[in-house]
Amino acid sequence: MTLAARVLKIAGVGVVIVVALVAILTALRTDPPRSPGVMTDALGPEDGERVEDYLARAADSLVTAGGGGDAARGSGGDDDDDEALASDPDARRWALVTAGWAWTVPEAVGVVRELPRVSGLYVQVPVDGVAMPVTGVTLAEPVTGESGREPVFHRGLEQVARRLDAGPPSGPGVPQPPDAGRAAATAALTVSRIRAGEPAIIGLLARGTTEQLRAVADQPWVRAVEALPPDAVWERFAVRPLQPQQVDAAYPLPDGGPVPAA
């Protein structure tokens, strides 16, 4: 074999090896996971926040179409588009509507009657001296044949009742409440009063334009309406309902009183 032939043969083997290595590395290469975005938005008071400060902050969120705070952005987007959305008075925004006191279903329905969407309901039965549980559920829109949201809210309350009636998850390794007996008593009392039709709705997660949300906030039985920026994404923000009995600061309620019988 001539020298030139040997050189061509060696070069050919080298090409095959390089191609094989490229194929292997391509098969093994993994793209870094895409960031789901920073989840920084929240509705409701921060732990320990003074109530008067929260109420002022909630009111400020309705001063402009865009509101304040960081938005739970998606995976990207044009900054100009974001700014246009934030300044659009017709852009719909997620908001927490806080009750001045626990509402009945008709009262809650009346408060948000003009809003295009209500997606969450927060429930607590107020009892002096007892830290009653706060439970939230997701709501659907009225089904065909329903003229309003009352059936939807009743279904949401029944869902809360069934959840509390079932008790907390149990089993090996599942943490239990420090005072399981008291927790069971407060849950049973909540279920009993919900099914008796007593006032129990302390907040609603709703969606509307800034003008629509301001109209809700102006109602005398509404304690606060706090809105997120228009680009906040569903299920990408936290909700911390303000409880009616939290009058000074968002601290845990006193829990030294006896739990009434269900």
Side-chain angles (χ1 to χ4, degrees), residues 7-58:
V7 170
L8 288 174
K9 183 177 180 180
I10 292 171
V13 172
V15 170
V16 171
I17 292 173
V18 170
V19 170
L21 287 173
V22 169
I24 292 171
L25 292 174
T26 300
L28 293 177
R29 182 177 64 85
T30 56
D31 292 325
R34 295 183 178 181
S35 171
V38 179
M39 297 175 61
T40 57
D41 278 336
L43 289 167
E46 298 177 1
D47 291 340
E49 183 176 9
R50 291 185 57 81
V51 170
E52 62 179 325
D53 293 340
Y54 170 68
L55 297 181
R57 183 161 62 82

Side-chain angles (χ1 to χ4, degrees), residues 38-183:
V38 179
M39 297 175 61
T40 57
D41 278 336
L43 289 167
E46 298 177 1
D47 291 340
E49 183 176 9
R50 291 185 57 81
V51 170
E52 62 179 325
D53 293 340
Y54 170 68
L55 297 181
R57 183 161 62 82
D60 286 344
S61 75
L62 298 177
V63 170
T64 60
D70 296 325
R73 306 246 185 330
S75 58
D78 187 86
D79 289 341
D80 292 339
D81 291 341
D82 291 340
E83 291 176 5
L85 180 63
S87 61
D88 181 3
D90 295 324
R92 293 182 178 182
R93 308 167 61 191
W94 290 110
L96 176 62
V97 179
T98 298
W101 54 83
W103 291 329
T104 63
V105 166
E107 288 172 333
V109 168
V111 165
V112 293
R113 191 178 306 280
E114 301 304 321
L115 294 183
R117 188 79 174 90
V118 180
S119 296
L121 179 147
Y122 299 92
V123 175
Q124 183 192 49
V125 171
V127 176
D128 289 339
V130 181
M132 297 294 288
V134 176
T135 309
V137 293
T138 300
L139 300 177
E141 282 294 89
V143 300
T144 303
E146 293 177 346
S147 58
R149 290 197 174 101
E150 287 202 19
V152 176
F153 284 18
H154 280 298
R155 286 194 292 270
L157 287 174
E158 180 56 27
Q159 185 179 345
V160 169
R162 289 198 304 268
R163 181 185 300 176
L164 293 175
D165 224 4
S170 59
V174 178
Q176 296 298 305
D179 189 341
R182 188 174 181 87

